[in-house]
Amino acid sequence: MKNWIELWQAGRTFKAAFDEQRLAIRGIYDSADSILRVPENTPAEYRVSMDAVPESFYTLRKNIFSTLFQSTYHLMGCDPKNRIFYGKLIHLFRIWVTSADNLLDAEDKVVIPINMPGSSRVMRQVVSIMTADRIFQRLLAEGIASGALTSEQARELSERSLQILLPSAAQEASEEMGITERPGPEHVLSVIHRYKTGILFNVAFLAPEIIEPNLNPARAEALKNALLQFGIGCQVLDDIRDMARDHIERRHNYLLSDLWKNQPEFFQTLETRTLAVSDRLYLEVLPFSLPAARLGFGMMRDGLTALGELGLGIRPKMAEHLASSMFAVLDLQDLNYA
C-alpha cells in the first residue's frame, strides 16, 4: 500500500484522479441519502434510511481500481467538466456489481450503508441496486437539463450500461449452480476471466465513448488493454487465494484448472477432504501456485508499465513495486513468489 501512496503523492495525474473520485463518491452518497426516505407516517420498525458513510470508504486503499479508471479520463484528454460525472458512473457500476456478487455469494460487503430493520442481508443488496438505479436516472436527467447530455446520449448510456455487463452476468450465471467439469487453465485465463473480470475493468470507457466520440480511439484501446492486463492479473491472484472456496463452490479457478490438468492426483485428494473456504490450499502446492503468482504479478506489472508509458507517471521499477504491493492488498502476503 505504501507504493500506491507514493504514486498518489508524486503522480499529479493519479492524485488529481483520486481527488475527483472522492468527490464523485460523496456525490453518489449524497444522492442516496436524499432518495432513501420513507413516508412520514411509516412506523419506526419499518423505517429505512441512509446510515453514516465510514471514512474508510474514501481511502486510497478502498479505491485503487476506481482511481486507476479515473486516471484514464486524464490520459485520454476527456473534457474536465465531464470527469466527475464519469467518476460517479464508476461508483454506480461498483454498487451494481458488488451488490449482485453479494447476492450470489451470500456475502455482505457494504456499498451503500443502509439502516434497515433486522439483519436483512439480501434485502439490503436489493435496495442498494434499486437505489443505484434511481441515482443513475437522476444523473441522466440532470445531464439533459444542463445540456451536458442529449436525450439520445442519455438513452444510449442507460441501455448500454446494462448491455456491457450482460456477458459478465452470463459468465456468473454459468457458475451459479456449480460447474461440472474444469476447462484447461489457458481457457480460464483467455476466455473465462476476460468476461469474469476483464469487462469490469473496461466499463469506465463506456460514457466517454458515447459523450466524447472524437477522443483518440487508438489511445483509448491502449488504455483498455493495459487495464485488462492489470485486472486479469489481479484475478489470477484472487484465484490463488480463493482456491479452497472455488473448489467447495465449484467455480472456475485458474490454479484449480492447472492442478486438474497437470496434478490430477492432488486434485483427487481434494474430493475426499473436508475443506473450509478460508483454507490456504495454495501453500500445499507451491510448485503450481508460485508460477501462477508470477503470472499474475507479470500481468499486473505489464499493465501498470503500459499505463506509465501512456502518461500515468509510473516508471518500470515503480510498476514492479506496485504490482508486488497488490499481494498484500489481495491478502496474499504469505506467498513468497520471488
Side-chain angles (χ1 to χ4, degrees), residues 181-188 243 253-268 270 288:
E181 60 181 43
R182 293 201 174 274
E186 287 307 315
H187 182 80
V188 173
M243 183 180 165
N253 181 295
Y254 174 81
L255 183 52
L256 285 174
S257 282
D258 192 17
L259 290 165
W260 172 80
K261 180 180 179 181
N262 297 305
Q263 194 70 16
E265 297 85 1
F266 176 81
F267 197 87
Q268 286 300 317
L270 295 180
F288 291 87

Side-chain angles (χ1 to χ4, degrees), residues 23-148:
L23 284 173
I25 294 171
R26 289 188 190 279
I28 291 297
Y29 289 135
D30 286 346
S31 294
D33 187 36
S34 68
I35 290 172
L36 284 169
R37 305 290 173 89
V38 296
E40 286 298 324
N41 59 351
T42 303
E45 61 267 32
Y46 301 117
R47 288 187 171 273
V48 176
S49 63
M50 265 292 278
D51 205 348
V53 181
E55 278 303 309
S56 63
F57 278 33
Y58 301 105
T59 62
L60 181 59
R61 184 184 185 91
K62 191 85 169 177
N63 294 285
I64 287 175
F65 297 143
S66 292
T67 303
L68 281 176
F69 301 157
Q70 191 74 26
S71 297
T72 65
Y73 304 140
H74 293 253
L75 302 180
M76 283 193 293
C78 292
D79 190 330
K81 73 176 185 294
N82 293 330
R83 292 200 301 249
I84 297 298
F85 174 69
Y86 297 156
K88 289 179 178 180
L89 294 187
I90 288 173
H91 203 63
L92 290 177
F93 274 114
R94 283 179 64 180
I95 293 169
W96 287 321
V97 171
T98 303
S99 292
D101 283 345
N102 283 341
L103 290 172
L104 290 168
D105 300 337
E107 294 181 342
D108 197 15
K109 297 173 184 173
V110 178
V111 283
I112 297 181
I114 299 173
N115 276 318
M116 184 177 287
S119 57
S120 59
R121 183 193 65 79
V122 171
M123 188 51 68
R124 285 177 197 273
Q125 308 310 322
V126 173
V127 172
S128 292
I129 292 171
M130 294 172 69
T131 303
D133 196 59
R134 270 60 177 186
I135 295 170
F136 184 37
Q137 296 308 314
R138 176 185 285 190
L139 289 176
L140 295 180
E142 290 172 351
I144 293 171
S146 69

